[in-house]
Each structure stands twice: as C-alpha cells, then as structure tokens.
C-alpha cells in the first residue's frame, strides 16, 4: 500500500495545502509527517491546525522543539551568524504568534514513530538537529539505521529529498596485542538498509521552488520523490505582511534556499 | 627616465588589474594616484574608494602613494612609472593627451605631475576590451568597514544574496574585507562577467584584536536597498566577544601543533 | 629518538599510582608524551593532592596533558557548570551518597581548571578522548559493534581512536570494510563504493593499567605500573 511521508512544512500554508491535495489525488490516506511544522514561514497556527484536523501522525522537528523549549538547541546548528540571527528572529516571531493550544500540541509530539521495519524521525535517531546529508559517510549513515533497529529510516531536516540504499557491506576486524598467540580475526556482513529523506514541503533546498515529499509502497518497497507546484507569491506576500525578514521570501521565490544549507553532515552539538 | 600615464575608463573595465600588471612588468619605481572623478548630470559618480590602492600596495609593497601629496625623492624619480587612475564613463573627445579633461590637468598641478601618455578603456586598443556597462542613473554606496571582521560563513551568504539581487540590481560590487583568521580578501563582482573574483591578499593580521588596515565595500547598481544592506552587513560582523573566542581557538590550535 | 605516547586514565585521585607511572616512564626509552584521558577524580579518594600535582608538575615529572572524563563531567554538572543540569544520571545509578562524596573529594578551587580542560586531543591522525566524540560516557569495548566503532572514528575524522571509558585495554583493528551506496535524488542516481582504510580503536585502561603507544610503528604495549621492567623482553623495549 502507498503511504506518503512529508517533512519541514515550516508554516507555509499554500505549500502544505498543495501537497495534501496531491496526496489525496493519488488516493493515499496514510500520511506521516516528520516535523518542523513551524519556523521561517508566516502561518504557523494555520499549518498546525490543518495537521491536527487531518489527524496526520507527526514527530517533533527541531523547530517544534525549540519553539517549545526555548532556544536550548545549540547555535552551531546554524551554518552562519547571519542565519542564526535570522533564525532567532523567526523563532521569536513564531513563539509570539503561536497559541497556547498549538504550543502544547508541538510539545507533546513524539521524537520518533515506528511502524514495523520503518522508523520515522526528524533529523536522525540521535537528535532532531543532526543532518543526514546524502553524501554523509556511508558507514556512519548505516550505523544510524542499524542502531535504531530499523530497515528503512525516514528523515527530513536537510530539506533535500533523497533515497539512499546501503548494500553489500562487510567489515573485517582483527584483535591486536591480545596476549594470546593467535591473532583473532572476524569478518561480518552488513545488512542492506535504506535512508529516505522526505525533503521539505515549505522550504525546499533542492535548488528549485517546488515543494517535495515522498511516496513509499510497503509492498513493493518502492520510494518515489514527488515535486509539487504551489502559489509561492501567496506565501511571499504573507511573509512580507507578517514582518518576517524579506530575505525569506526572496529565497523561497528564487529557489535559493540551498544557499543556507548545512555543510557539515555529521555535526552534532556536544553540549 | 620617468613616465607619467593617465588611465581612465568606466567602473568595472579592468583598470586596476591592468595597472597591477603594468607595474609588475616595470623594473623601476612605481607611483600611483587615484583621482575621484566628477559627478555628471544624473550620474552619481563612483566613489573615490581606497580599495584599489590598498590592493595594489599589498601586491607591490614598495609602491609609492603620490596622492598623499608627498613628492617622490630625487632618487625615487629615477626610472619611475607613475600611473594616475581616473574613472570616466564617456569616451574623450580628442585623441591622446589632448583628450584629458581640463579639470584633471588642474588637479594634477597640485601633485606637480605632468602626464606624457593618456589611455582610455574602450578607446585605445593598447588596453584590453571588456564588455562594460552602460552606466546611466547609477546608484552607489560605500561602507567603511575598517576594524570590522566578518563571520566567514555569513560573508558567503551575504555576498551570494547581494550579487543575486536580494537587495536590488547590483552592477558592480567590490570589497576588501577582514576575516577572523587574519586573512585580508578582495571580492570583486561585475554583472557582465561570470562569477565573483576572490583573492586573498598577502597581508595577514595578527590573531588579536582588530586590524587597522583599510576595509570597505563599494556597491553600484539600481533600486538598491541600502538600509537593508547595512543592517544585513551588521548581522554578519563579529562582536568583540565572538571575535576573541575565534582568535583564542586559532591561537590555541597553533600552540597545539607546535607542542609535538 | 622513538616517539612514544603514554596514555593513562582513571586515576581517581590516586597520587601513588600516578607517581609509580611517572617513575616507570622515566625508565622508558624514547621521547615520551604523557596524556591523561580523564577521570583524574572520583568519589572514593580525596583528589586534591593529585590535581595539585597535575597542575604543578614536579621538576622531573613528565608534563601531563589532561582532558576531562566522565567523573569530571559529573562534578561540573553538579557544580552548575552546565546550566540548569545536574548529575542526575549519577544520582539515580549510584545514589546521593556518591554525589556527595564526589563533591567532597575535590576542592572547589580546582573546578575552573577542570572546566577549562579539553574534550579531547587530535594528534596526527589519532583521536584521544575519554569516551568518544559522541559522548564522554561512551563505553567502547571489544564487543562494541564494528559499525559503531567506525562511526566514532568518522565523527572525529581520525584513523585511530584512543578511549578510556571502558577501563579495558584492547587494540582492535578494522582491517577492511566495504559498502555500496546508491543515492537517488532529483538530479538522478549516484553510485559509490566506499572502502574503509585501516583504522583502529584502542582502549588504554585505567588506574595502574596504562598503554604505551609507539607512534612510528603503530604498536601498543599494555603496561601495569611497577611491572614494566619485566615486560621489556616482549619486544617493545628492543626497538631503540
Ligand atoms: Zn526543517
Ligand atoms: Zn529541522
């Protein structure tokens, strides 16, 4: 059966509506959301209410966590000082706009959702703030899936959609200096695992302007990336009217979100 | 024998790099003067930026700055090549020396300089020809960045936004900037040429505090939102505390590598 | 002269053991750098004398290069150096008494020095750390899945990881690794075969058990303080 996985809606209502419509047109009713319902965009309450209304299973994203807990998450998750300042501004704006009810909703979202062999998280099983980029070290990527005891790991947070298959792996180890005469050697085969990044509905960073999400068929194991057009002008106007930094509208309109993406794939704050 | 040349042309035509090459090929002393140019009707003149001199001086450390109205010593005059750089948008009416704007000749009397050669970009074939812009109703602004230090990643973001039109249509942007690791870099971007030109200069500032050297950004274009440019730049510059943190980390890593 | 590292950890205030190791190292040939991979303090003993000695080495001591360990992290947590967090994990697992003993074992005047200690050192292509770069309490042993070990090496971008948290002494080499990665995104398909160059994880031991590492030959020697002379026959001492 086909199921849809969406992520990083970022308070962009026109994009969310367009994607949900695209999902509906395919007759898909099973939808999982990987968080970041809010942040950057101008319609945080509206997006949360739509997700609640549609009863979409959702995990907590980095923005959802920060809006609730305060900016406890480390600043090093921002790629630059300017990104951090703008992020803090958007954070402040969002916290002020969100209703108490909607904040509570975000606060009570789970870190992860497990369905059979699939694990759904926002960033990685380690943290909502860890980026699993497509070119991340293959062994480290496999470790994330293996450690989470999943076969397919669905994540978001990077805003770049991709499907990564890790297969035909093996590792050989040797115990040196063990005291015993014979050298102990071991070789083990690694299991085949997949990481699926759902991209972003509300703030795509793939170089284009279209919203992205993925469709997974749990019978054929097939995963498809979908691109959906939406009324960007509408969102841009709302950003300006809301008094959010106009640069957010400029980036969205030009598909320049990629300029802001993280560079360090495995960076996790040590705090 | 000493020579005094005047070089003029519109902004972005490649004057400074041509001058640098000419100096490098000259075996004797080199002197340099940059004149500001004159405001024409409907044409806000390019600002007399010190970026060019700071850049040339970095590349040719014994370059003489003649605009400080200091005359060269008699010994320095021996086989000296003096180049006077001068922004001018239009092609001079007359060929050769007689094409020099009279106001320029007047201004040069202060420096006691008499040019014996005049070249204009776009007129004289001796100079390379580049697509230059039609500069009409151009806006420009210059921001003094002396003692300011950029967060490198923020600089990348800002420059990307600037040259891609986030703050209005930019025709030309040029900047000489400080980075926390002591680097001094030149950014140069012209609409008609592909991509930005980046160059790390030779000078390296010590890893403590803020360097005194010249730092500035000059932007020319249309419908520019200067307010937004300034506030964005402010958000890219490092505070004392953050700068000290960066520099302390760099100083420590230098110590660590020298330990073993 | 042979470049050699001495890696010690888990002294937990035991100045006698530290002196014994210093004495050993004076007899060990080569140009030795001494690394103390955390747990200089602990709840069992008063740690002030050892800390004082580490900060102010005697004139004939080898200079110790210290990083912080799990017990240092606990005291910093409990003393308010990590914001609102306290040493809750310790409190739950070992009880209030142990938390108190730890606080009493270290004079407050040492806390700033402890707080300024580094998380780890990267020397050449080696990472020296108490647990791992994932967590100071990361307990790496011979039984840790190789994939996890590889991940810890990758996080630090090193080929050899010296760890102390498990208190065990081991030298595990990851001799070969291969993994096929195929990424499909909006630009198409990208296939890559990734291989692991030889890497290793070394457990350095704790207390009297410490490790000597020969930088040139990549050989380890597991030593017990005070017994070093007996082990010389085993080859390590013959290098010079
Ligand atoms: Zn997001
Ligand atoms: Zn996120």
């Amino acid at each position: 059966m086909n199921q849809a996985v969406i992520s990083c809606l970022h308070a962009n209502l026109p994009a969310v509506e367009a994607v949900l419509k695209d999902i509906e047109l395919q007759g898909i009713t099973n939808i999982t959301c990987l968080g970041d319902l809010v942040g950057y965009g101008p319609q945080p309450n509206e997006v949360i209410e739509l997700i609640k209304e549609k009863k979409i299973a959702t995990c907590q994203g980095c923005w959802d966590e920060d809006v609730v807990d305060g900016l406890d998450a480390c600043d090093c998750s921002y790629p630059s000082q300017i990104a951090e300042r703008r992020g803090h501004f958007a954070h402040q704006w969002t916290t002020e706009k969100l209703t108490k009810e909607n904040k509570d909703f975000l606060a009570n979202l789970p870190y992860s959702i497990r369905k059979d062999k699939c694990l759904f998280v926002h960033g990685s099983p380690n943290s909502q703030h860890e980026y699993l980029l497509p070119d991340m070290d293959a062994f480290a990527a496999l470790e994330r899936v293996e450690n989470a005891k999943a076969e397919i790991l669905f994540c978001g947070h990077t805003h770049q959609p991709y499907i990564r298959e890790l297969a035909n792996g093996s590792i050989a180890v040797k115990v040196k200096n063990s005291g015993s005469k014979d050298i102990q050697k071991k070789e083990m085969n690694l299991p085949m695992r997949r990481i699926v990044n759902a991209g972003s509905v509300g703030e795509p960073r793939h170089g284009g302007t279209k919203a992205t999400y993925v469709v997974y068929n749990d019978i054929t194991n097939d995963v498809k990336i979908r691109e959906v057009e939406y009324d960007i002008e509408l969102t841009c106007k709302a950003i300006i009217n809301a008094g959010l930094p106009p640069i957010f509208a400029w980036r969205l309109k030009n598909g320049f979100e990629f300029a802001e993406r993280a560079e360090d794939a495995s960076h996790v704050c040590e705090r | 024998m000493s020579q005094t040349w005047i070089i003029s042309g519109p902004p972005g035509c490649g004057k400074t790099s041509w001058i640098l090459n000419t100096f490098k090929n000259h075996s004797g002393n080199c002197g340099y003067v940059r004149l500001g140019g004159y405001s024409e009707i409907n044409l806000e003149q390019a600002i007399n930026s010190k970026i060019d001199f700071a850049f040339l001086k970095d590349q040719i450390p014994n370059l003489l700055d003649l605009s400080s109205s200091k005359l060269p010593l008699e010994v320095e005059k021996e086989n000296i090549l003096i180049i006077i750089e001068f922004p001018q948008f239009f092609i001079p009416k007359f060929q050769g020396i007689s094409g020099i704007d009279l106001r320029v000749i007047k201004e040069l009397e202060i420096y006691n300089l008499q040019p014996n050669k005049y070249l204009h970009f776009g007129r004289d074939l001796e100079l390379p020809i580049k697509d230059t812009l039609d500069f009409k109703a151009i806006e420009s602004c210059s921001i003094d960045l002396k003692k300011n230090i950029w967060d490198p990643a923020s600089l990348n973001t800002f420059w990307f936004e600037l040259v891609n039109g986030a703050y209005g249509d930019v025709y030309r942007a040029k900047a000489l900037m400080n980075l926390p690791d002591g680097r001094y870099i030149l950014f140069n971007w012209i609409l008609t040429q592909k991509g930005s030109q980046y160059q790390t200069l030779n000078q390296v500032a010590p890893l403590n505090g803020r360097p005194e050297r010249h730092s500035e950004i000059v932007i020319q274009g249309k419908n520019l939102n200067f307010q937004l440019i300034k506030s964005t730049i402010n958000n890219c510059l490092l505070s004392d505390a953050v700068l000290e943190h960066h520099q302390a980390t760099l100083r420590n890593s230098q110590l660590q590598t020298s330990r073993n | 002269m042979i470049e050699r590292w001495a890696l010690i950890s888990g002294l937990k205030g035991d100045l006698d053991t530290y002196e014994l190791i210093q004495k050993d190292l004076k007899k060990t040939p080569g140009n030795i750098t001494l690394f103390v991979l955390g747990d200089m303090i602990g709840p069992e003993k008063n740690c002030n004398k050892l800390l004082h000695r580490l900060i102010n080495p005697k004139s004939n001591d080898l200079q110790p290069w210290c990083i912080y360990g799990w017990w240092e992290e606990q005291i910093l947590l409990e003393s308010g150096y990590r914001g609102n967090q306290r040493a809750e994990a310790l409190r739950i697992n070992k009880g209030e008494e142990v938390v108190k003993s730890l606080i009493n074992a270290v004079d407050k005047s040492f806390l700033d020095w402890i707080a300024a200690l580094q998380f780890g050192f990267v020397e050449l292509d080696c990472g020296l750390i108490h647990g791992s770069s994932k967590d100071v309490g990361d307990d790496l042993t011979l039984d840790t899945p190789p994939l996890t070990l590889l991940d810890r090496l990758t996080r630090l971008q090193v080929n050899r990881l010296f760890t102390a948290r498990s208190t065990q002494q081991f030298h595990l080499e990851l001799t070969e690794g291969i993994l096929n990665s195929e990424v499909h995104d909006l630009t198409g398909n990208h296939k890559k075969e990734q291989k692991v160059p030889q890497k290793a994880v070394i457990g350095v031991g704790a207390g009297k058990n410490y490790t000597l590492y020969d930088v040139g030959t990549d050989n380890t020697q597991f030593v017990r303080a005070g017994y070093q002379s007996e082990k010389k026959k085993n080859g390590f001492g013959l290098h010079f």
Side-chain angles (χ1 to χ4, degrees):
Chain A
M1 206 179 71
N2 277 337
Q3 48 175 300
V5 184
I6 60 177
S7 185
C8 297
L9 286 52
H10 287 293
N12 183 344
L13 187 65
V16 178
E17 285 172 338
V19 164
L20 291 182
K21 196 169 171 198
D22 189 70
I23 293 171
E24 196 187 312
L25 284 175
Q26 294 170 78
I28 300 173
T29 50
N30 183 345
I31 307 173
T32 309
C33 173
L34 309 179
D36 273 5
L37 303 184
V38 302
Y40 297 118
Q43 293 125 337
N45 287 311
E46 292 87 332
V47 166
I48 294 175
E49 274 141 29
L50 184 57
I51 293 298
K52 279 201 266 188
E53 182 201 314
K54 302 261 174 195
K55 295 193 173 62
I56 295 171
T58 301
C59 10
Q60 193 182 50
C62 59
W63 274 84
D64 311 326
E65 182 197 16
D66 288 356
V67 161
V68 175
D69 292 352
L71 278 172
D72 218 23
C74 81
D75 296 331
C76 48
S77 58
Y78 284 106
S80 67
Q81 177 176 301
I82 183 81
E84 182 190 326
R85 300 259 173 104
R86 288 166 176 166
H88 284 194
F89 184 88
H91 168 88
Q92 188 66 30
W93 184 92
T94 308
T95 334
E96 281 163 21
K97 277 276 149 14
L98 277 179
T99 63
K100 164 101 184 36
E101 267 188 326
N102 285 337
K103 267 187 208 168
D104 287 347
F105 175 77
L106 294 182
N108 290 314
L109 291 173
Y111 288 115
S112 64
I113 297 172
R114 194 180 287 273
K115 290 182 195 164
D116 307 321
K117 56 192 178 179
C118 303
L119 185 73
F120 300 84
V121 297
H122 176 69
S124 91
N126 290 331
S127 153
Q128 279 133 312
H129 292 268
E130 188 181 30
Y131 290 99
L132 299 185
L133 291 175
D135 52 0
M136 169 184 193
D137 180 276
F139 289 95
L142 183 63
E143 189 263 348
R144 299 298 185 276
V145 197
E146 259 308 88
N147 241 349
K149 302 191 167 49
E151 284 179 27
I152 305 184
L153 176 67
F154 287 90
C155 60
H157 190 46
T158 69
H159 296 202
Q160 298 165 264
Y162 69 84
I163 299 143
R164 186 173 192 184
E165 190 175 285
L166 301 155
N168 304 321
S170 67
I171 300 184
V173 295
K174 187 169 94 185
V175 181
K176 261 177 91 171
N177 199 7
S178 68
S180 73
K181 280 257 159 60
D182 34 64
I183 301 165
Q184 302 169 35
K185 272 187 179 172
K186 247 194 319 200
E187 187 171 346
M188 61 212 74
N189 291 325
L190 300 170
M192 196 277 265
R193 296 290 181 252
R194 284 200 288 176
I195 297 180
V196 176
N197 193 305
S200 171
V201 171
E203 204 210 27
R205 285 178 204 161
H206 53 77
T209 55
K210 288 180 195 161
T212 63
Y213 73 100
V214 294
V215 173
Y216 166 59
N217 186 309
D218 51 20
I219 295 158
T220 61
N221 254 337
D222 217 35
V223 187
K224 280 198 177 72
I225 301 172
R226 305 251 334 154
E227 290 182 89
V228 181
E229 244 167 304
Y230 71 97
D231 192 341
I232 298 171
E233 280 303 328
L234 213 57
T235 305
C236 290
K237 263 187 212 143
I239 289 174
I240 306 284
N241 290 340
L244 283 162
I247 201 83
F248 292 172
W250 176 79
R251 284 203 312 241
L252 210 57
K253 189 158 64 193
N254 291 286
F256 281 156
E257 297 291 348
F258 65 88
E260 198 84 310
R261 71 185 160 206
E263 286 184 357
D264 182 357
S266 58
H267 172 84
V268 184
C269 181
E270 263 124 39
R271 278 199 292 148
Chain B
M1 202 193 94
S2 78
Q3 299 171 69
T4 305
W5 299 356
I6 282 202
I7 307 297
S8 69
C13 65
K15 289 189 293 294
T16 312
S17 43
W18 183 84
I19 291 169
L20 175 65
N21 278 332
T22 310
F23 278 150
K24 276 186 174 165
N25 291 330
H26 180 70
S27 54
N29 286 318
C30 301
Y32 175 78
V33 183
R34 190 181 196 279
L35 301 180
Y38 309 98
S39 275
E40 313 294 338
I41 304 155
N42 278 337
L43 193 77
E44 194 168 330
Q45 189 49 275
I47 292 144
N48 185 7
S49 145
K50 291 198 186 84
I51 293 178
D52 295 335
F53 179 73
F55 167 66
L56 290 170
K57 181 79 183 165
D58 180 85
Q59 302 293 305
I60 303 166
N62 51 10
L63 179 67
L64 300 168
D65 178 14
L66 300 180
S67 56
S68 57
S69 67
K70 254 196 338 202
L71 290 175
L73 304 168
E74 277 311 310
V75 268
E76 289 171 339
K77 273 190 188 164
E78 191 66 30
N79 191 24
I80 192 171
L81 170 63
I82 297 169
I83 296 185
I84 301 150
E85 187 184 340
F86 171 57
Q88 176 172 295
F89 298 101
F90 54 86
I91 291 185
K93 286 202 184 83
F94 306 104
Q95 287 294 311
I97 296 248
S98 36
I100 304 176
D101 191 312
L102 281 178
R103 291 172 295 188
V104 172
I105 305 237
K106 276 244 157 68
E107 206 176 322
L108 286 177
E109 279 170 8
I110 309 169
Y111 302 110
N112 203 11
L113 292 171
Q114 282 110 36
N116 48 24
K117 184 171 183 174
Y118 176 36
L119 296 171
H120 181 85
F121 276 81
R123 178 189 74 178
D124 296 292
L125 297 174
E126 215 174 298
L127 298 173
I129 294 175
K130 268 189 192 157
D131 258 351
T132 51
L133 290 159
D134 182 16
F135 278 82
K136 291 203 177 84
I138 197 172
E139 298 163 11
S140 70
C141 88
S142 147
I143 300 167
D144 184 3
L145 293 170
K146 192 167 176 180
K147 292 184 123 179
N148 281 307
I149 294 170
W150 291 75
D151 164 47
S154 298
L155 172 56
N156 273 335
T157 300
F158 168 71
W159 196 261
F160 175 85
E161 291 168 359
L162 179 72
V163 303
N164 282 293
Y167 309 102
D169 304 329
V170 175
Y171 300 154
R172 178 84 203 275
K174 191 169 177 178
L176 196 50
M177 295 170 288
N178 296 309
L179 293 187
D181 60 2
R183 268 183 298 165
Y184 194 30
I185 49 169
L186 182 78
F187 273 33
N188 196 2
W189 187 86
I190 303 165
L191 184 63
T192 51
Q193 286 159 34
K194 265 199 189 127
S196 280
Q197 180 197 322
Y198 310 98
Q199 191 176 345
T200 304
L201 305 197
N202 299 322
Q203 285 182 45
V204 179
L207 288 175
N208 56 60
R210 300 168 178 273
E212 285 292 335
R213 62 200 181 188
H214 184 71
S215 178
E216 182 187 9
I217 181 166
V218 180
I219 301 161
Q220 298 165 328
K222 242 179 178 175
N223 304 320
L224 295 173
N225 186 341
F226 294 121
Q227 214 49 40
L228 194 55
I229 291 175
K230 277 182 192 152
S231 67
T232 308
I233 289 178
N234 277 335
N235 279 323
C236 297
L237 301 174
L238 299 178
S239 69
D240 282 343
V242 178
L243 175 64
E244 173 49 29
H245 176 78
H246 270 286
Q247 292 183 332
T249 313
L250 289 163
R251 286 195 300 262
N252 276 342
S253 69
Q254 284 182 353
L255 281 179
Q256 270 200 21
T257 37
S258 63
R259 190 188 70 225
N260 277 306
Chain C
M1 185 113 85
I2 297 169
E3 187 76 32
R4 196 164 280 173
W5 298 348
L7 303 127
I8 69 178
S9 178
L11 290 172
K12 294 176 160 185
D14 188 349
L15 179 61
D16 294 343
T17 298
Y18 181 64
E19 285 183 331
L20 212 53
I21 294 172
Q22 281 282 359
K23 220 163 120 193
D24 268 8
L25 296 179
K26 256 161 246 150
K27 288 183 270 172
T28 308
N31 186 11
I32 299 175
T33 312
L34 171 61
F35 294 102
V36 185
L37 303 191
D39 283 1
M40 288 84 81
I41 62 166
E44 291 108 8
K45 257 196 181 88
N46 185 294
C47 306
N48 296 334
K49 280 194 177 138
L50 175 66
L51 288 172
H52 184 266
R53 177 71 167 269
L54 291 169
I55 299 166
N56 311 286
K58 285 197 171 166
S59 61
N60 58 346
D61 272 0
L62 264 180
Q63 160 80 45
W65 296 94
C66 305
I67 57 174
Y68 75 82
W70 190 81
W71 284 104
E72 282 80 15
E73 178 66 16
Q74 304 314 307
I75 204 167
L76 292 176
L77 276 167
E78 192 57 25
S79 312
Y81 278 77
R82 299 284 188 264
N84 295 328
Q85 298 181 62
R86 290 294 172 269
E88 287 317 321
L90 175 65
R91 187 165 275 116
I92 292 163
N93 290 320
K94 306 255 166 131
E96 189 63 38
E97 275 311 298
V98 176
V99 178
K100 273 200 191 127
S101 310
L102 177 66
I103 294 290
N104 291 333
V106 179
D107 192 274
K108 288 211 168 14
S109 60
F110 291 115
L111 290 180
D112 283 341
W113 180 78
I114 293 174
L117 289 172
Q118 302 221 34
F119 192 70
F121 291 123
V122 174
E123 304 278 327
L124 311 168
D125 63 343
C126 303
L128 289 68
I129 209 153
H130 181 72
S132 80
S133 55
K134 184 174 186 252
D135 185 47
V136 71
D138 203 5
D139 197 349
L140 303 178
T141 68
L142 271 183
D143 301 320
T144 306
L147 205 51
T148 308
L149 296 178
L150 251 182
D151 173 65
R152 305 304 187 258
L153 286 154
T154 312
R155 281 170 194 258
L156 263 188
Q157 295 176 313
V158 293
N159 288 327
R160 262 164 291 275
L161 178 69
F162 292 83
T163 174
R165 172 72 183 140
S166 72
T167 72
Q168 296 179 15
Q169 287 178 308
F170 62 91
H171 187 159
L172 186 74
E173 234 171 38
L174 299 152
T175 49
E176 241 183 326
I178 191 161
L179 184 55
N180 289 319
S181 161
E182 185 172 352
V183 173
H184 170 77
D185 62 15
L186 294 172
T187 64
N189 273 18
H190 316 273
K191 269 191 192 176
K192 220 165 95 183
E193 183 189 78
Q194 194 178 323
K195 282 186 178 156
V196 200
Q198 205 178 72
K199 286 172 188 269
V201 177
I202 294 130
V204 303
K208 283 198 167 69
N209 296 326
Y210 66 97
T211 298
L212 288 174
Y213 177 68
D214 186 329
V215 178
T217 62
D218 187 32
N219 276 324
T220 44
Q221 186 189 4
F222 299 133
V223 190
R224 189 163 169 81
Y227 289 83
Q228 203 216 355
S229 47
E230 292 169 29
K231 278 211 165 186
K232 265 197 170 171
K233 292 180 203 110
N234 292 347
F236 205 104
L238 300 175
H239 283 304
F240 65 102

